[in-house]
Amino acid sequence: MAKKLLGIDLGGTTVKFGILTQEGEVQEKWAIETNILENGKHIVPDIIASIKHRLELYGLSKEDFIGMGMGSPGAVDREKNTVTGAFNLNWKDTQEVGSLIEKELGIPFAIDNDANVAALGERWVGAGENNPDVVFMTLGTGVGGGIIADGNLIHGFGGAAGEIGHMIVEPENGFACTCGNNGCLETVASATGVVKVARLLAEEYEGNSHIKAAIDNGESVTSKDIFVAAESGDQFADSVVEKVGNYLGLASANISNILNPDSVVVGGGVSAAGEFLRERIEKYFMTYTFPQVRKTTKIKIAELGNDAGIIGAASLASQFAR
Amino acid sequence: MAKKLLGIDLGGTTVKFGILTQEGEVQEKWAIETNILENGKHIVPDIIASIKHRLELYGLSKEDFIGMGMGSPGAVDREKNTVTGAFNLNWKDTQEVGSLIEKELGIPFAIDNDANVAALGERWVGAGENNPDVVFMTLGTGVGGGIIADGNLIHGFGGAAGEIGHMIVEPENGFACTCGNNGCLETVASATGVVKVARLLAEEYEGNSHIKAAIDNGESVTSKDIFVAAESGDQFADSVVEKVGNYLGLASANISNILNPDSVVVGGGVSAAGEFLRERIEKYFMTYTFPQVRKTTKIKIAELGNDAGIIGAASLASQFAR
């Protein structure tokens, strides 16, 4: 029997697991709740217990695996297989992760940042079609990303590469970002960023719009509400999507003007707007790219949804095949 | 005797040659004029003749070389070792380059784009200090660049990676670029771009400045004049450097926010302004980067000058050492 890969996607609410073939096909998947109580001290033991239980259930042993990989929030040390400052897990201090899991399960372990891992997944069997040059951006609570260039995931000198959300798209008069800067992509293209753009545009919009009315009335409006309204013909909501598309098109174009990837793959909750959002990004991408890039780099919507994490994590383990 | 590398830097005015050690030390260098007459048909034969002559002069033969590399303008095919559309060489159609040189000299040959090759040079033994993550930008007649990420020169899907000059830094009301877009970095940070910025700012400047006076009188003003005046305290010229520094800082920051290189190395004629320019770029780089990148990525001035081309070209030949 061909050996398998194990992928672990560690998140603040759930830990997702997958058993995959070496070709990236998910054969089994399951999830457990993330228990962040007591400084997250149960997380690693829970992961170990869950894997042990499932391997027994499926009649598998460590010999059936090439290795396992994990995507984690926080700052990941890929040499020591540790995680630091993953605040949504209550992991403030450095946590031993890989050493414990490896010791208990006897399977080689690799780890990387969650956005990087999702990028690897989408690149491998998702919209990236296993091309050596793929850029992934995820539009959710924040805006994150991962860059695969010439076949390698790019970490950078300080390990901070791929932070697409902190590209500056509004150098003057931008919204304040959690990073301390102003005008980051995240402030205008995350789920909350889209709403911020709507609030700003609402100040000057004078036509009829139930979205503008809701904003002016202080009702809760989500980025999804805005995209749904725009698709149904609400002109104000459409102007918000246009503005957000402009920012995303500019960021995608500037990334592509320097990296010329096969594709920029857009994922995350906001990307649920699908083709409606993609077209809008592409319109501005075409405006801001120079001809050779315009002809060769594509804007795509992510295909793997929540599975990107376990698939990308599993792909980290491919390195142990050699 | 340890084997050597041969580097060729093909330009529109001269072809530069270098014989280097495997550690990147230039042992011999020379140059010939580039004869672009008759559709540039003499260029490759001239290169072959010059190398043959020099090898004889130095008592060297093909056995003394690991390989040779070349940097060329135009679109380079790295598989076929050909060059297309190098208009400053009068090479409109595809030219056989590597096959002819290899056949005549019997030394393995590799080729890449001139800006990429200069980036490799600066990264290897110049300001990049052989770090695996280095971004090079060259400010000259145009603005070009090259990106080394995770140890690899990034070419991208369509071979157009590294075109830093076509990043958009002024999405609205930017100057027209030769690429057909508006607001590219090249339009405000190349030698002519700096002058364009000066002309625009001159319209609104009301103080005394001999640079502004020269512009208003229709006299010829160069980017060098502007930097020299700014350093001598001309307030108007200083405002031009400030604006150019802002654009370069924004571009460097956005590159670094996604790639987090060890350094962004600034070369080319405009970079002769040295520390005066570097400080100005760094000021805005610090403004536009997020904390992890601000702490780890450095802005540096290139160190190799004209030798970057032959050194980077020679480094291409290192691949034949295996």
Side-chain angles (χ1 to χ4, degrees):
Chain A
M1 192 179 65
K3 287 196 170 194
K4 297 173 194 301
L5 304 168
L6 206 159
I8 308 166
D9 178 11
L10 173 54
T13 340
T14 59
V15 189
K16 300 184 190 72
F17 301 83
I19 294 175
L20 283 81
T21 65
Q22 291 175 54
E23 290 72 40
E25 192 198 330
V26 179
Q27 294 191 309
E28 304 286 351
K29 63 176 179 177
W30 72 97
I32 61 172
E33 253 182 85
T34 309
N35 179 358
I36 62 169
L37 296 178
E38 298 175 83
N39 295 324
K41 74 175 203 184
H42 303 287
I43 296 175
V44 172
D46 284 358
I47 288 172
I48 292 167
S50 180
I51 295 174
K52 281 187 174 170
H53 171 68
R54 289 284 171 154
L55 294 194
E56 205 178 306
L57 197 68
Y58 303 135
L60 294 168
S61 70
K62 64 181 182 183
E63 283 77 22
D64 295 313
F65 291 90
I66 287 168
M68 59 187 162
M70 179 190 269
S72 170
V76 167
D77 185 323
R78 293 175 295 129
E79 299 287 313
K80 298 184 182 143
N81 291 336
T82 58
V83 175
T84 310
F87 300 102
N88 59 342
L89 304 175
N90 275 338
W91 281 358
K92 281 153 211 133
D93 303 326
T94 299
Q95 302 285 322
E96 288 296 333
V97 180
S99 60
L100 298 176
I101 296 179
E102 226 167 18
K103 189 177 134 205
E104 286 289 330
L105 297 173
I107 302 173
F109 178 94
I111 190 167
D112 211 318
N113 163 281
D114 47 7
N116 280 342
V117 159
L120 286 175
E122 277 294 341
R123 178 256 182 151
W124 187 23
V125 295
E129 297 176 343
N130 209 24
N131 196 285
D133 295 272
V134 172
V135 172
F136 176 68
M137 61 166 83
T138 171
L139 315 176
T141 318
V143 171
I147 291 168
I148 295 117
D150 204 18
N152 296 304
L153 184 62
I154 305 304
H155 294 92
F157 175 65
E163 290 287 357
I164 293 168
H166 298 294
M167 288 184 81
I168 303 291
V169 292
E170 192 65 83
E172 292 162 42
N173 306 317
F175 298 126
C177 184
T178 51
C179 78
N181 272 353
N182 293 291
C184 296
L185 180 64
E186 179 161 302
T187 67
V188 292
S190 64
T192 51
V194 171
V195 179
K196 274 187 203 157
V197 171
R199 280 186 206 288
L200 185 72
L201 296 183
E203 291 174 17
E204 296 194 351
Y205 189 79
E206 297 193 345
N208 279 324
S209 158
H210 78 273
I211 292 289
K212 174 180 154 62
I215 288 173
D216 292 344
N217 291 333
E219 292 164 30
S220 147
V221 170
T222 66
S223 64
K224 190 180 169 189
D225 297 335
I226 293 166
F227 279 102
V228 168
E231 278 205 78
S232 325
D234 182 307
Q235 293 286 310
F236 168 71
D238 197 76
S239 73
V240 177
V241 174
E242 189 76 12
K243 187 80 179 162
V244 170
N246 192 334
Y247 286 127
L248 284 166
L250 176 62
S252 307
N254 275 343
I255 293 168
S256 302
N257 284 337
I258 61 168
L259 296 175
N260 189 20
D262 176 64
S263 58
V264 177
V265 177
V266 183
V270 174
S271 78
E275 181 61 16
F276 185 67
L277 174 65
R278 197 200 66 79
E279 274 179 3
R280 216 61 74 97
I281 299 173
E282 188 177 69
K283 172 180 162 185
Y284 288 98
F285 173 82
M286 292 295 180
T287 305
Y288 296 128
T289 39
F290 70 99
Q292 286 152 281
V293 168
R294 195 181 304 145
K295 282 179 206 149
T296 51
T297 299
K298 298 166 276 293
I299 302 289
K300 294 184 174 179
I301 294 291
E303 294 174 357
L304 303 180
N306 280 335
D307 286 353
I310 52 171
I311 295 173
S315 80
L316 285 179
S318 301
Q319 65 184 279
F320 302 116
R322 288 158 220 156
Chain B
M1 193 178 65
K3 287 197 172 194
K4 299 172 192 301
L5 305 168
L6 206 160
I8 308 165
D9 177 13
L10 173 54
T13 342
T14 59
V15 189
K16 301 184 188 70
F17 301 84
I19 294 175
L20 282 81
T21 65
Q22 290 176 55
E23 290 71 41
E25 192 197 331
V26 180
Q27 295 192 310
E28 304 287 350
K29 63 177 179 175
W30 71 97
I32 62 172
E33 253 182 84
T34 310
N35 178 358
I36 63 170
L37 296 178
E38 297 175 85
N39 295 322
K41 74 174 201 183
H42 302 287
I43 295 174
V44 171
D46 284 356
I47 288 171
I48 293 167
S50 180
I51 295 174
K52 281 188 175 170
H53 171 67
R54 290 282 171 156
L55 294 195
E56 207 178 304
L57 198 67
Y58 303 135
L60 294 168
S61 69
K62 63 180 182 183
E63 283 76 22
D64 295 313
F65 291 90
I66 287 167
M68 59 187 163
M70 179 190 269
S72 170
V76 167
D77 185 323
R78 293 174 295 128
E79 298 287 312
K80 296 184 183 144
N81 292 336
T82 58
V83 175
T84 310
F87 299 104
N88 58 343
L89 304 176
N90 276 338
W91 282 359
K92 281 153 210 133
D93 302 329
T94 300
Q95 303 285 322
E96 287 297 332
V97 179
S99 60
L100 298 176
I101 296 179
E102 227 168 17
K103 189 176 134 206
E104 286 289 331
L105 297 173
I107 303 173
F109 178 94
I111 191 167
D112 211 318
N113 164 279
D114 48 7
N116 280 342
V117 159
L120 286 175
E122 277 294 340
R123 178 255 181 153
W124 187 23
V125 294
E129 297 176 343
N130 209 24
N131 197 283
D133 295 272
V134 173
V135 171
F136 176 68
M137 60 167 83
T138 170
L139 315 177
T141 318
V143 172
I147 291 167
I148 295 117
D150 203 17
N152 296 303
L153 184 63
I154 305 304
H155 294 92
F157 176 66
E163 290 287 359
I164 292 168
H166 298 295
M167 288 185 80
I168 304 290
V169 291
E170 193 63 84
E172 292 162 41
N173 306 317
F175 297 125
C177 184
T178 50
C179 79
N181 271 353
N182 293 290
C184 296
L185 180 63
E186 179 161 304
T187 68
V188 292
S190 63
T192 51
V194 171
V195 179
K196 273 187 205 160
V197 171
R199 280 185 205 290
L200 185 70
L201 296 184
E203 291 174 17
E204 297 193 352
Y205 190 79
E206 297 193 345
N208 279 325
S209 157
H210 78 271
I211 293 289
K212 175 181 154 63
I215 288 173
D216 291 345
N217 291 333
E219 293 165 29
S220 148
V221 170
T222 66
S223 64
K224 191 179 168 189
D225 297 334
I226 294 167
F227 279 102
V228 168
E231 277 206 79
S232 325
D234 183 305
Q235 293 287 309
F236 168 71
D238 198 76
S239 74
V240 176
V241 174
E242 188 77 11
K243 187 78 178 163
V244 170
N246 191 334
Y247 286 128
L248 284 167
L250 176 62
S252 306
N254 275 343
I255 293 168
S256 302
N257 285 336
I258 61 169
L259 295 175
N260 188 19
D262 175 63
S263 59
V264 176
V265 177
V266 182
V270 175
S271 78
E275 180 61 16
F276 186 68
L277 174 64
R278 198 200 65 79
E279 274 179 2
R280 217 61 75 95
I281 299 173
E282 189 178 68
K283 171 180 163 186
Y284 288 98
F285 173 82
M286 292 295 180
T287 305
Y288 296 128
T289 39
F290 69 99
Q292 286 152 280
V293 168
R294 196 180 305 145
K295 281 178 208 149
T296 51
T297 298
K298 297 165 278 294
I299 302 290
K300 294 183 175 179
I301 294 291
E303 295 174 357
L304 302 181
N306 280 336
D307 285 353
I310 52 172
I311 295 173
S315 81
L316 284 179
S318 300
Q319 66 184 279
F320 302 117
R322 288 157 217 156

